[in-house]
Short mmCIF file of all heavy atoms in Angstrom, two decimals:
data_model
loop_
_atom_site.label_atom_id
_atom_site.label_comp_id
_atom_site.label_asym_id
_atom_site.label_seq_id
_atom_site.Cartn_x
_atom_site.Cartn_y
_atom_site.Cartn_z
N ALA V 1 0.78 -1.23 0.04
CA ALA V 1 -0.01 0.02 0.00
C ALA V 1 0.88 1.19 0.01
O ALA V 1 0.43 2.24 -0.44
CB ALA V 1 -0.90 -0.04 1.20
N LEU V 2 2.09 1.16 0.51
CA LEU V 2 2.95 2.26 0.48
C LEU V 2 3.96 2.29 -0.69
O LEU V 2 4.77 3.06 -0.78
CB LEU V 2 3.88 2.21 1.80
CG LEU V 2 3.04 2.44 3.17
CD1 LEU V 2 3.99 2.05 4.34
CD2 LEU V 2 2.48 3.83 3.23
N GLY V 3 3.70 1.37 -1.68
CA GLY V 3 4.53 1.32 -2.90
C GLY V 3 5.91 0.76 -2.62
O GLY V 3 6.86 1.03 -3.49
N VAL V 4 6.03 -0.15 -1.57
CA VAL V 4 7.28 -0.65 -1.28
C VAL V 4 7.27 -2.14 -1.57
O VAL V 4 6.34 -2.93 -1.26
CB VAL V 4 7.71 -0.45 0.19
CG1 VAL V 4 8.97 -1.18 0.59
CG2 VAL V 4 7.66 1.05 0.50
N ASP V 5 8.36 -2.72 -2.24
CA ASP V 5 8.42 -4.10 -2.60
C ASP V 5 9.25 -4.82 -1.49
O ASP V 5 10.31 -4.28 -1.01
CB ASP V 5 9.09 -4.27 -3.93
CG ASP V 5 8.24 -3.98 -5.07
OD1 ASP V 5 6.96 -3.97 -4.87
OD2 ASP V 5 8.78 -3.61 -6.21
N VAL V 6 8.74 -5.96 -1.14
CA VAL V 6 9.43 -6.89 -0.14
C VAL V 6 10.37 -7.84 -0.85
O VAL V 6 10.05 -8.49 -1.77
CB VAL V 6 8.50 -7.65 0.76
CG1 VAL V 6 9.23 -8.70 1.54
CG2 VAL V 6 7.56 -6.77 1.55
N LEU V 7 11.67 -7.80 -0.51
CA LEU V 7 12.62 -8.63 -1.16
C LEU V 7 12.68 -9.98 -0.40
O LEU V 7 12.92 -11.04 -0.97
CB LEU V 7 14.06 -7.95 -1.24
CG LEU V 7 13.99 -6.55 -1.98
CD1 LEU V 7 15.45 -5.94 -2.00
CD2 LEU V 7 13.58 -6.79 -3.37
N ARG V 8 12.76 -9.84 0.96
CA ARG V 8 12.78 -10.94 1.85
C ARG V 8 11.96 -10.79 3.07
O ARG V 8 11.96 -9.61 3.51
CB ARG V 8 14.27 -11.41 2.21
CG ARG V 8 15.08 -12.09 1.11
CD ARG V 8 16.34 -12.65 1.63
NE ARG V 8 16.27 -13.70 2.61
CZ ARG V 8 17.23 -14.24 3.42
NH1 ARG V 8 18.46 -13.59 3.28
NH2 ARG V 8 17.02 -15.14 4.22
N LEU V 9 11.40 -11.76 3.63
CA LEU V 9 10.66 -11.64 4.87
C LEU V 9 10.85 -12.91 5.68
O LEU V 9 10.53 -13.97 5.33
CB LEU V 9 9.13 -11.52 4.56
CG LEU V 9 8.19 -11.03 5.68
CD1 LEU V 9 7.03 -10.29 5.19
CD2 LEU V 9 7.81 -12.13 6.69
N VAL V 10 11.48 -12.72 6.82
CA VAL V 10 11.93 -13.83 7.72
C VAL V 10 11.37 -13.64 9.13
O VAL V 10 11.58 -12.60 9.74
CB VAL V 10 13.41 -13.88 7.82
CG1 VAL V 10 13.89 -15.16 8.58
CG2 VAL V 10 14.08 -13.88 6.43
N ARG V 11 10.53 -14.57 9.58
CA ARG V 11 10.07 -14.54 11.00
C ARG V 11 11.19 -15.11 11.86
O ARG V 11 11.58 -16.19 11.62
CB ARG V 11 8.79 -15.34 11.15
CG ARG V 11 8.21 -15.15 12.60
CD ARG V 11 6.74 -15.51 12.70
NE ARG V 11 6.44 -16.82 12.31
CZ ARG V 11 5.28 -17.23 12.04
NH1 ARG V 11 4.20 -16.39 12.01
NH2 ARG V 11 4.95 -18.47 11.64
N VAL V 12 11.60 -14.30 12.82
CA VAL V 12 12.69 -14.60 13.68
C VAL V 12 12.34 -14.92 15.07
O VAL V 12 13.21 -15.45 15.81
CB VAL V 12 13.88 -13.49 13.62
CG1 VAL V 12 14.37 -13.29 12.27
CG2 VAL V 12 13.31 -12.23 14.18
N ALA V 13 11.08 -14.63 15.55
CA ALA V 13 10.66 -14.85 16.82
C ALA V 13 9.21 -14.90 16.97
O ALA V 13 8.48 -14.29 16.31
CB ALA V 13 11.27 -13.85 17.89
N ILE V 14 8.69 -15.70 17.88
CA ILE V 14 7.32 -15.70 18.37
C ILE V 14 7.35 -15.55 19.83
O ILE V 14 7.75 -16.49 20.57
CB ILE V 14 6.57 -17.10 17.90
CG1 ILE V 14 6.57 -17.13 16.36
CG2 ILE V 14 5.27 -17.06 18.45
CD1 ILE V 14 6.01 -18.52 15.90
N GLY V 15 6.82 -14.46 20.28
CA GLY V 15 7.02 -14.19 21.77
C GLY V 15 8.49 -14.35 22.10
O GLY V 15 9.43 -13.72 21.38
N PRO V 16 8.79 -15.09 23.23
CA PRO V 16 10.20 -15.09 23.67
C PRO V 16 11.00 -16.20 22.87
O PRO V 16 12.18 -16.32 23.03
CB PRO V 16 10.01 -15.54 25.12
CG PRO V 16 8.76 -16.34 25.12
CD PRO V 16 7.88 -15.63 24.17
N LEU V 17 10.25 -16.95 22.06
CA LEU V 17 10.93 -18.07 21.34
C LEU V 17 11.70 -17.48 20.12
O LEU V 17 11.09 -16.91 19.20
CB LEU V 17 9.92 -19.10 20.89
CG LEU V 17 10.41 -20.30 20.22
CD1 LEU V 17 11.43 -21.14 21.10
CD2 LEU V 17 9.35 -21.19 19.65
N GLN V 18 13.03 -17.65 20.10
CA GLN V 18 13.86 -17.21 19.04
C GLN V 18 14.17 -18.27 18.03
O GLN V 18 14.43 -19.45 18.33
CB GLN V 18 15.18 -16.59 19.56
CG GLN V 18 14.95 -15.48 20.66
CD GLN V 18 14.55 -14.18 19.92
OE1 GLN V 18 15.00 -13.83 18.88
NE2 GLN V 18 13.69 -13.41 20.67
N LEU V 19 14.24 -17.92 16.68
CA LEU V 19 14.76 -18.77 15.73
C LEU V 19 16.13 -19.25 15.89
O LEU V 19 16.52 -20.39 15.72
CB LEU V 19 14.56 -18.19 14.29
CG LEU V 19 15.04 -18.99 13.17
CD1 LEU V 19 14.14 -20.31 13.01
CD2 LEU V 19 14.90 -18.20 11.80
N GLY V 20 16.93 -18.30 16.38
CA GLY V 20 18.42 -18.58 16.69
C GLY V 20 19.09 -19.13 15.55
O GLY V 20 18.97 -18.69 14.37
N ASN V 21 19.95 -20.16 15.76
CA ASN V 21 20.87 -20.73 14.73
C ASN V 21 20.32 -22.03 14.11
O ASN V 21 20.92 -22.86 13.54
CB ASN V 21 22.20 -20.96 15.27
CG ASN V 21 22.23 -21.97 16.40
OD1 ASN V 21 21.19 -22.53 16.90
ND2 ASN V 21 23.35 -22.16 17.10
N LEU V 22 18.93 -22.26 14.18
CA LEU V 22 18.34 -23.42 13.59
C LEU V 22 18.52 -23.36 12.10
O LEU V 22 18.12 -22.36 11.47
CB LEU V 22 16.89 -23.50 14.02
CG LEU V 22 16.11 -24.73 13.42
CD1 LEU V 22 16.66 -26.03 14.04
CD2 LEU V 22 14.59 -24.57 13.73
N ALA V 23 19.11 -24.34 11.52
CA ALA V 23 19.44 -24.23 10.13
C ALA V 23 18.22 -24.23 9.16
O ALA V 23 17.17 -24.82 9.60
CB ALA V 23 20.38 -25.44 9.72
N LYS V 24 18.27 -23.59 8.11
CA LYS V 24 17.10 -23.47 7.21
C LYS V 24 16.76 -24.86 6.73
O LYS V 24 17.64 -25.69 6.38
CB LYS V 24 17.46 -22.57 5.99
CG LYS V 24 16.26 -22.21 5.12
CD LYS V 24 16.74 -21.30 3.99
CE LYS V 24 17.08 -19.98 4.57
NZ LYS V 24 17.28 -19.05 3.42
N GLY V 25 15.49 -25.18 6.67
CA GLY V 25 14.99 -26.45 6.20
C GLY V 25 15.14 -27.63 7.22
O GLY V 25 15.11 -28.82 6.91
N THR V 26 15.40 -27.28 8.52
CA THR V 26 15.45 -28.27 9.61
C THR V 26 14.39 -27.88 10.67
O THR V 26 13.76 -26.83 10.59
CB THR V 26 16.85 -28.31 10.15
OG1 THR V 26 17.14 -27.09 10.88
CG2 THR V 26 17.89 -28.61 9.14
N PHE V 27 14.20 -28.85 11.65
CA PHE V 27 13.26 -28.65 12.70
C PHE V 27 13.81 -29.32 13.98
O PHE V 27 14.69 -30.08 13.88
CB PHE V 27 11.88 -29.18 12.32
CG PHE V 27 11.79 -30.60 12.33
CD1 PHE V 27 11.35 -31.37 13.48
CD2 PHE V 27 12.19 -31.46 11.19
CE1 PHE V 27 11.31 -32.77 13.56
CE2 PHE V 27 12.19 -32.77 11.25
CZ PHE V 27 11.61 -33.49 12.39
N ARG V 28 13.27 -28.97 15.12
CA ARG V 28 13.54 -29.63 16.34
C ARG V 28 12.43 -29.50 17.29
O ARG V 28 11.51 -28.70 17.06
CB ARG V 28 14.85 -29.01 16.99
CG ARG V 28 14.79 -27.54 17.45
CD ARG V 28 15.93 -27.13 18.15
NE ARG V 28 15.96 -25.67 18.67
CZ ARG V 28 15.31 -25.27 19.66
NH1 ARG V 28 14.55 -26.06 20.44
NH2 ARG V 28 15.38 -24.00 19.95
N HIS V 29 12.40 -30.34 18.42
CA HIS V 29 11.44 -30.24 19.42
C HIS V 29 11.80 -28.97 20.29
O HIS V 29 12.96 -28.57 20.63
CB HIS V 29 11.42 -31.39 20.32
CG HIS V 29 10.94 -32.64 19.61
ND1 HIS V 29 9.69 -33.12 19.71
CD2 HIS V 29 11.58 -33.50 18.70
CE1 HIS V 29 9.50 -34.19 18.96
NE2 HIS V 29 10.66 -34.46 18.35
N LEU V 30 10.67 -28.27 20.78
CA LEU V 30 10.93 -27.29 21.78
C LEU V 30 11.41 -27.80 23.05
O LEU V 30 10.97 -29.03 23.39
CB LEU V 30 9.54 -26.54 22.05
CG LEU V 30 8.92 -25.65 20.92
CD1 LEU V 30 7.71 -24.98 21.57
CD2 LEU V 30 9.85 -24.75 20.27
N THR V 31 12.28 -27.15 23.79
CA THR V 31 12.64 -27.71 25.10
C THR V 31 11.52 -27.37 26.07
O THR V 31 10.61 -26.47 25.77
CB THR V 31 13.91 -26.93 25.55
OG1 THR V 31 13.55 -25.55 25.69
CG2 THR V 31 15.05 -27.07 24.52
N ALA V 32 11.57 -28.09 27.14
CA ALA V 32 10.52 -27.77 28.22
C ALA V 32 10.51 -26.36 28.67
O ALA V 32 9.55 -25.63 28.90
CB ALA V 32 10.79 -28.70 29.46
N GLU V 33 11.73 -25.75 28.70
CA GLU V 33 11.92 -24.30 29.21
C GLU V 33 11.33 -23.39 28.22
O GLU V 33 10.66 -22.38 28.46
CB GLU V 33 13.39 -24.02 29.42
CG GLU V 33 14.06 -24.76 30.62
CD GLU V 33 14.36 -26.15 30.33
OE1 GLU V 33 14.32 -26.56 29.13
OE2 GLU V 33 14.58 -26.93 31.26
N GLU V 34 11.50 -23.65 26.86
CA GLU V 34 10.94 -22.85 25.86
C GLU V 34 9.42 -22.91 25.79
O GLU V 34 8.70 -21.93 25.65
CB GLU V 34 11.51 -23.34 24.43
CG GLU V 34 12.87 -22.97 24.16
CD GLU V 34 13.53 -23.61 22.96
OE1 GLU V 34 13.04 -24.64 22.52
OE2 GLU V 34 14.44 -23.01 22.37
N LYS V 35 8.84 -24.15 25.99
CA LYS V 35 7.45 -24.26 26.05
C LYS V 35 6.83 -23.49 27.22
O LYS V 35 5.81 -22.74 27.14
CB LYS V 35 7.07 -25.75 26.10
CG LYS V 35 5.55 -26.06 26.39
CD LYS V 35 4.69 -25.67 25.30
CE LYS V 35 3.35 -26.36 25.33
NZ LYS V 35 2.71 -26.15 26.68
N ILE V 36 7.48 -23.57 28.38
CA ILE V 36 6.89 -22.91 29.58
C ILE V 36 7.00 -21.44 29.35
O ILE V 36 6.07 -20.67 29.71
CB ILE V 36 7.77 -23.34 30.75
CG1 ILE V 36 7.46 -24.82 31.22
CG2 ILE V 36 7.43 -22.39 32.04
CD1 ILE V 36 8.43 -25.35 32.23
N SER V 37 8.21 -20.90 28.77
CA SER V 37 8.39 -19.47 28.54
C SER V 37 7.28 -18.98 27.67
O SER V 37 6.69 -17.81 27.85
CB SER V 37 9.78 -19.27 28.06
OG SER V 37 9.96 -17.89 27.75
N LEU V 38 7.01 -19.71 26.59
CA LEU V 38 5.97 -19.25 25.47
C LEU V 38 4.60 -19.26 26.20
O LEU V 38 3.81 -18.36 26.03
CB LEU V 38 5.95 -20.24 24.45
CG LEU V 38 5.31 -19.89 23.19
CD1 LEU V 38 5.79 -18.48 22.68
CD2 LEU V 38 5.59 -20.85 22.04
N ASP V 39 4.28 -20.29 27.08
CA ASP V 39 2.99 -20.40 27.77
C ASP V 39 2.82 -19.11 28.70
O ASP V 39 1.73 -18.45 28.76
CB ASP V 39 2.92 -21.61 28.52
CG ASP V 39 2.62 -22.82 27.59
OD1 ASP V 39 2.42 -22.67 26.37
OD2 ASP V 39 2.76 -23.96 28.09
N GLN V 40 3.96 -18.88 29.51
CA GLN V 40 3.85 -17.72 30.40
C GLN V 40 3.68 -16.36 29.70
O GLN V 40 2.99 -15.54 30.15
CB GLN V 40 5.08 -17.78 31.22
CG GLN V 40 5.15 -18.86 32.18
CD GLN V 40 6.55 -18.93 32.90
OE1 GLN V 40 7.49 -18.37 32.58
NE2 GLN V 40 6.46 -19.65 34.11
N SER V 41 4.29 -16.27 28.46
CA SER V 41 4.20 -14.97 27.65
C SER V 41 2.75 -14.84 27.27
O SER V 41 2.21 -13.73 27.25
CB SER V 41 5.13 -15.13 26.53
OG SER V 41 5.04 -13.83 25.73
N MET V 42 2.14 -16.02 26.82
CA MET V 42 0.71 -15.88 26.48
C MET V 42 -0.23 -15.38 27.50
O MET V 42 -1.13 -14.69 27.36
CB MET V 42 0.25 -17.21 25.68
CG MET V 42 0.81 -17.40 24.33
SD MET V 42 0.06 -18.68 23.52
CE MET V 42 0.76 -20.18 24.38
N GLU V 43 0.03 -15.96 28.76
CA GLU V 43 -0.79 -15.59 29.90
C GLU V 43 -0.58 -14.12 30.29
O GLU V 43 -1.65 -13.56 30.60
CB GLU V 43 -0.34 -16.43 31.11
CG GLU V 43 -0.63 -17.95 30.94
CD GLU V 43 -0.02 -18.77 32.11
OE1 GLU V 43 0.61 -18.13 32.95
OE2 GLU V 43 -0.17 -20.00 32.06
#
């Protein structure tokens, strides 16, 4: 709407959860601490 083109768009965090150094095209389980932190942030 502002006449600006997006070249790249990367989501790097959801609440306190950071993408960090997780390699592109890979995945992992959340740690118990990450899950608790995310839940507390939502509360």
